Amino acid sequence: MVAQARSATEALLRLRDEPEGELRLAAPIGFGPLLARALTPLRQHPRLRLQVLLDDTPIDLLAGRVALALRAGQLADSSLVARPLGQLPCQLCAAPAYLAERGWPTHPSDLAGHDWLGLPPRGGQTELLVLQGPAGERESVRLGARVLANQVTALQALAVAGWGLFIAVAEDARQALAAGQLVPVLPGWRLEPIPVWAVTPRREELPAKVRHALEALRGHFAAHPGGQPPAD
């Protein structure tokens, strides 16, 4: 009887930890390839269904019935629970044709005269770009965008078309940089990486499907601190 009771308890624990049902997960548009790789461990759970919502505008988790969201950058204060996952490197870049026409910056002070492509600023303020030089020196440049777009994919397309300078997340612009459609600008100067967070509604206990997804995401960022595997 004791053995049967122990076996039943273990079966209940396994069932409790088995992810099932629909997991609604939100993330920026450029995170699609990252999620496809990071969430591979979830394929082994046949009772789990995944719905991925990609949008560069943050989704209201409660209104959208989203159990887990990935957010990049600094987070606004809220009632949500944010867990750090890792960081994504950034690269200042532009199309070769744009640089041939407007000139190659050799120092951060040269950036002020260039056209910028960016996301709508939060709070209506222009963005402050901070770069660290090869000797550890730091330079700050206040950006005023010529073109604003609410999706990073649109900004990258504009950059490839030669509209101006673009701060690319390596995860998003990897193929464009490899193909030479975009080239690094000021490669000796480093931008601060962008922090990535896993955000969930506040609750006492996370469902198994969310716990397993968080475990998969943490494992991916631990194995690939830059958010992606090295190029072949």
Side-chain angles (χ1 to χ4, degrees), residues 14-20 42 48 205-214:
R14 287 194 301 270
L15 182 61
R16 178 174 173 268
D17 193 53
E18 176 66 20
E20 62 179 354
L42 300 184
L48 176 67
E205 184 177 1
L206 294 174
K209 57 187 178 183
V210 176
R211 296 199 307 270
H212 280 261
L214 280 171

PDB file of all heavy atoms in Angstrom, residues 14-20 42 48 205-214:
ATOM      1  N   ARG A  14       4.397  14.112 -11.753  1.00  0.00           N
ATOM      2  CA  ARG A  14       4.775  14.158 -13.167  1.00  0.00           C
ATOM      3  C   ARG A  14       3.685  14.835 -13.978  1.00  0.00           C
ATOM      4  O   ARG A  14       3.959  15.631 -14.885  1.00  0.00           O
ATOM      5  CB  ARG A  14       5.047  12.745 -13.688  1.00  0.00           C
ATOM      6  CG  ARG A  14       6.358  12.131 -13.192  1.00  0.00           C
ATOM      7  CD  ARG A  14       6.709  10.908 -14.009  1.00  0.00           C
ATOM      8  NE  ARG A  14       5.666   9.875 -13.951  1.00  0.00           N
ATOM      9  CZ  ARG A  14       5.643   8.922 -13.044  1.00  0.00           C
ATOM     10  NH1 ARG A  14       6.595   8.856 -12.121  1.00  0.00           N
ATOM     11  NH2 ARG A  14       4.674   8.018 -13.052  1.00  0.00           N
ATOM     12  N   LEU A  15       2.438  14.513 -13.668  1.00  0.00           N
ATOM     13  CA  LEU A  15       1.330  15.126 -14.389  1.00  0.00           C
ATOM     14  C   LEU A  15       1.281  16.626 -14.132  1.00  0.00           C
ATOM     15  O   LEU A  15       1.019  17.418 -15.042  1.00  0.00           O
ATOM     16  CB  LEU A  15       0.013  14.467 -13.958  1.00  0.00           C
ATOM     17  CG  LEU A  15      -1.257  14.967 -14.668  1.00  0.00           C
ATOM     18  CD1 LEU A  15      -1.160  14.693 -16.165  1.00  0.00           C
ATOM     19  CD2 LEU A  15      -2.494  14.296 -14.082  1.00  0.00           C
ATOM     20  N   ARG A  16       1.533  17.015 -12.900  1.00  0.00           N
ATOM     21  CA  ARG A  16       1.527  18.440 -12.538  1.00  0.00           C
ATOM     22  C   ARG A  16       2.630  19.211 -13.261  1.00  0.00           C
ATOM     23  O   ARG A  16       2.465  20.381 -13.582  1.00  0.00           O
ATOM     24  CB  ARG A  16       1.686  18.563 -11.026  1.00  0.00           C
ATOM     25  CG  ARG A  16       1.735  19.989 -10.495  1.00  0.00           C
ATOM     26  CD  ARG A  16       1.733  19.984  -8.981  1.00  0.00           C
ATOM     27  NE  ARG A  16       1.933  21.308  -8.437  1.00  0.00           N
ATOM     28  CZ  ARG A  16       3.126  21.807  -8.121  1.00  0.00           C
ATOM     29  NH1 ARG A  16       4.216  21.068  -8.292  1.00  0.00           N
ATOM     30  NH2 ARG A  16       3.240  23.026  -7.630  1.00  0.00           N
ATOM     31  N   ASP A  17       3.747  18.544 -13.544  1.00  0.00           N
ATOM     32  CA  ASP A  17       4.872  19.213 -14.183  1.00  0.00           C
ATOM     33  C   ASP A  17       4.859  19.036 -15.697  1.00  0.00           C
ATOM     34  O   ASP A  17       5.732  19.559 -16.385  1.00  0.00           O
ATOM     35  CB  ASP A  17       6.192  18.657 -13.623  1.00  0.00           C
ATOM     36  CG  ASP A  17       7.390  19.520 -14.011  1.00  0.00           C
ATOM     37  OD1 ASP A  17       7.335  20.739 -13.756  1.00  0.00           O
ATOM     38  OD2 ASP A  17       8.343  18.984 -14.602  1.00  0.00           O
ATOM     39  N   GLU A  18       3.896  18.315 -16.231  1.00  0.00           N
ATOM     40  CA  GLU A  18       3.818  18.104 -17.677  1.00  0.00           C
ATOM     41  C   GLU A  18       3.114  19.293 -18.338  1.00  0.00           C
ATOM     42  O   GLU A  18       1.948  19.558 -18.057  1.00  0.00           O
ATOM     43  CB  GLU A  18       3.072  16.812 -17.991  1.00  0.00           C
ATOM     44  CG  GLU A  18       2.865  16.556 -19.471  1.00  0.00           C
ATOM     45  CD  GLU A  18       4.168  16.320 -20.223  1.00  0.00           C
ATOM     46  OE1 GLU A  18       5.174  15.985 -19.570  1.00  0.00           O
ATOM     47  OE2 GLU A  18       4.175  16.472 -21.451  1.00  0.00           O
ATOM     48  N   PRO A  19       3.808  20.037 -19.213  1.00  0.00           N
ATOM     49  CA  PRO A  19       3.153  21.178 -19.856  1.00  0.00           C
ATOM     50  C   PRO A  19       2.065  20.726 -20.821  1.00  0.00           C
ATOM     51  O   PRO A  19       2.245  19.773 -21.587  1.00  0.00           O
ATOM     52  CB  PRO A  19       4.299  21.875 -20.594  1.00  0.00           C
ATOM     53  CG  PRO A  19       5.316  20.821 -20.810  1.00  0.00           C
ATOM     54  CD  PRO A  19       5.207  19.884 -19.640  1.00  0.00           C
ATOM     55  N   GLU A  20       0.947  21.407 -20.785  1.00  0.00           N
ATOM     56  CA  GLU A  20      -0.167  21.070 -21.667  1.00  0.00           C
ATOM     57  C   GLU A  20      -0.991  22.316 -21.914  1.00  0.00           C
ATOM     58  O   GLU A  20      -0.845  23.339 -21.235  1.00  0.00           O
ATOM     59  CB  GLU A  20      -1.047  19.983 -21.032  1.00  0.00           C
ATOM     60  CG  GLU A  20      -1.687  20.399 -19.719  1.00  0.00           C
ATOM     61  CD  GLU A  20      -2.569  19.303 -19.132  1.00  0.00           C
ATOM     62  OE1 GLU A  20      -2.756  18.272 -19.804  1.00  0.00           O
ATOM     63  OE2 GLU A  20      -3.073  19.501 -18.019  1.00  0.00           O
ATOM     64  N   LEU A  42      10.637  22.198 -26.155  1.00  0.00           N
ATOM     65  CA  LEU A  42       9.200  22.052 -25.922  1.00  0.00           C
ATOM     66  C   LEU A  42       8.537  21.100 -26.914  1.00  0.00           C
ATOM     67  O   LEU A  42       7.403  20.665 -26.689  1.00  0.00           O
ATOM     68  CB  LEU A  42       8.513  23.415 -25.985  1.00  0.00           C
ATOM     69  CG  LEU A  42       8.970  24.477 -24.979  1.00  0.00           C
ATOM     70  CD1 LEU A  42       8.125  25.732 -25.103  1.00  0.00           C
ATOM     71  CD2 LEU A  42       8.919  23.938 -23.556  1.00  0.00           C
ATOM     72  N   LEU A  48       1.274  20.088 -25.491  1.00  0.00           N
ATOM     73  CA  LEU A  48       1.476  21.536 -25.442  1.00  0.00           C
ATOM     74  C   LEU A  48       1.291  22.132 -26.830  1.00  0.00           C
ATOM     75  O   LEU A  48       1.848  21.656 -27.817  1.00  0.00           O
ATOM     76  CB  LEU A  48       2.876  21.859 -24.925  1.00  0.00           C
ATOM     77  CG  LEU A  48       3.256  23.351 -24.903  1.00  0.00           C
ATOM     78  CD1 LEU A  48       2.408  24.102 -23.881  1.00  0.00           C
ATOM     79  CD2 LEU A  48       4.738  23.517 -24.595  1.00  0.00           C
ATOM     80  N   GLU A 205       1.959  30.917  -8.472  1.00  0.00           N
ATOM     81  CA  GLU A 205       2.699  29.796  -9.039  1.00  0.00           C
ATOM     82  C   GLU A 205       2.526  29.788 -10.550  1.00  0.00           C
ATOM     83  O   GLU A 205       1.415  29.964 -11.060  1.00  0.00           O
ATOM     84  CB  GLU A 205       2.195  28.474  -8.454  1.00  0.00           C
ATOM     85  CG  GLU A 205       2.976  27.261  -8.932  1.00  0.00           C
ATOM     86  CD  GLU A 205       2.492  25.982  -8.287  1.00  0.00           C
ATOM     87  OE1 GLU A 205       1.525  26.056  -7.480  1.00  0.00           O
ATOM     88  OE2 GLU A 205       3.040  24.910  -8.585  1.00  0.00           O
ATOM     89  N   LEU A 206       3.630  29.578 -11.271  1.00  0.00           N
ATOM     90  CA  LEU A 206       3.580  29.550 -12.721  1.00  0.00           C
ATOM     91  C   LEU A 206       3.101  28.186 -13.207  1.00  0.00           C
ATOM     92  O   LEU A 206       3.501  27.153 -12.661  1.00  0.00           O
ATOM     93  CB  LEU A 206       4.964  29.842 -13.309  1.00  0.00           C
ATOM     94  CG  LEU A 206       5.527  31.241 -13.071  1.00  0.00           C
ATOM     95  CD1 LEU A 206       6.952  31.324 -13.589  1.00  0.00           C
ATOM     96  CD2 LEU A 206       4.658  32.296 -13.746  1.00  0.00           C
ATOM     97  N   PRO A 207       2.285  28.152 -14.257  1.00  0.00           N
ATOM     98  CA  PRO A 207       1.884  26.867 -14.828  1.00  0.00           C
ATOM     99  C   PRO A 207       3.101  26.119 -15.386  1.00  0.00           C
ATOM    100  O   PRO A 207       4.125  26.733 -15.708  1.00  0.00           O
ATOM    101  CB  PRO A 207       0.916  27.264 -15.950  1.00  0.00           C
ATOM    102  CG  PRO A 207       0.515  28.664 -15.654  1.00  0.00           C
ATOM    103  CD  PRO A 207       1.658  29.288 -14.920  1.00  0.00           C
ATOM    104  N   ALA A 208       2.959  24.815 -15.517  1.00  0.00           N
ATOM    105  CA  ALA A 208       4.075  24.000 -16.014  1.00  0.00           C
ATOM    106  C   ALA A 208       4.537  24.457 -17.390  1.00  0.00           C
ATOM    107  O   ALA A 208       5.729  24.473 -17.677  1.00  0.00           O
ATOM    108  CB  ALA A 208       3.657  22.531 -16.049  1.00  0.00           C
ATOM    109  N   LYS A 209       3.608  24.854 -18.261  1.00  0.00           N
ATOM    110  CA  LYS A 209       3.993  25.264 -19.606  1.00  0.00           C
ATOM    111  C   LYS A 209       4.877  26.505 -19.584  1.00  0.00           C
ATOM    112  O   LYS A 209       5.809  26.629 -20.393  1.00  0.00           O
ATOM    113  CB  LYS A 209       2.745  25.511 -20.462  1.00  0.00           C
ATOM    114  CG  LYS A 209       1.781  26.548 -19.894  1.00  0.00           C
ATOM    115  CD  LYS A 209       0.495  26.603 -20.699  1.00  0.00           C
ATOM    116  CE  LYS A 209      -0.500  27.605 -20.104  1.00  0.00           C
ATOM    117  NZ  LYS A 209      -1.781  27.610 -20.858  1.00  0.00           N
ATOM    118  N   VAL A 210       4.626  27.417 -18.649  1.00  0.00           N
ATOM    119  CA  VAL A 210       5.456  28.618 -18.544  1.00  0.00           C
ATOM    120  C   VAL A 210       6.811  28.268 -17.927  1.00  0.00           C
ATOM    121  O   VAL A 210       7.857  28.763 -18.366  1.00  0.00           O
ATOM    122  CB  VAL A 210       4.736  29.703 -17.713  1.00  0.00           C
ATOM    123  CG1 VAL A 210       5.640  30.924 -17.525  1.00  0.00           C
ATOM    124  CG2 VAL A 210       3.431  30.100 -18.387  1.00  0.00           C
ATOM    125  N   ARG A 211       6.818  27.403 -16.917  1.00  0.00           N
ATOM    126  CA  ARG A 211       8.084  27.006 -16.296  1.00  0.00           C
ATOM    127  C   ARG A 211       9.002  26.330 -17.306  1.00  0.00           C
ATOM    128  O   ARG A 211      10.208  26.607 -17.347  1.00  0.00           O
ATOM    129  CB  ARG A 211       7.819  26.065 -15.116  1.00  0.00           C
ATOM    130  CG  ARG A 211       7.050  26.698 -13.961  1.00  0.00           C
ATOM    131  CD  ARG A 211       7.224  25.892 -12.665  1.00  0.00           C
ATOM    132  NE  ARG A 211       6.907  24.487 -12.845  1.00  0.00           N
ATOM    133  CZ  ARG A 211       5.697  23.958 -12.684  1.00  0.00           C
ATOM    134  NH1 ARG A 211       4.675  24.744 -12.381  1.00  0.00           N
ATOM    135  NH2 ARG A 211       5.486  22.662 -12.846  1.00  0.00           N
ATOM    136  N   HIS A 212       8.457  25.449 -18.127  1.00  0.00           N
ATOM    137  CA  HIS A 212       9.274  24.755 -19.120  1.00  0.00           C
ATOM    138  C   HIS A 212       9.786  25.730 -20.187  1.00  0.00           C
ATOM    139  O   HIS A 212      10.931  25.604 -20.649  1.00  0.00           O
ATOM    140  CB  HIS A 212       8.477  23.625 -19.763  1.00  0.00           C
ATOM    141  CG  HIS A 212       8.407  22.387 -18.925  1.00  0.00           C
ATOM    142  ND1 HIS A 212       9.228  21.294 -19.145  1.00  0.00           N
ATOM    143  CD2 HIS A 212       7.644  22.074 -17.855  1.00  0.00           C
ATOM    144  CE1 HIS A 212       8.949  20.356 -18.260  1.00  0.00           C
ATOM    145  NE2 HIS A 212       7.991  20.806 -17.463  1.00  0.00           N
ATOM    146  N   ALA A 213       8.955  26.680 -20.595  1.00  0.00           N
ATOM    147  CA  ALA A 213       9.401  27.671 -21.575  1.00  0.00           C
ATOM    148  C   ALA A 213      10.514  28.540 -21.004  1.00  0.00           C
ATOM    149  O   ALA A 213      11.513  28.836 -21.686  1.00  0.00           O
ATOM    150  CB  ALA A 213       8.223  28.533 -22.018  1.00  0.00           C
ATOM    151  N   LEU A 214      10.380  28.958 -19.746  1.00  0.00           N
ATOM    152  CA  LEU A 214      11.428  29.750 -19.102  1.00  0.00           C
ATOM    153  C   LEU A 214      12.727  28.960 -19.008  1.00  0.00           C
ATOM    154  O   LEU A 214      13.818  29.500 -19.248  1.00  0.00           O
ATOM    155  CB  LEU A 214      10.981  30.177 -17.705  1.00  0.00           C
ATOM    156  CG  LEU A 214      10.044  31.380 -17.610  1.00  0.00           C
ATOM    157  CD1 LEU A 214       9.532  31.536 -16.186  1.00  0.00           C
ATOM    158  CD2 LEU A 214      10.753  32.643 -18.069  1.00  0.00           C
TER     159      LEU A 214
END
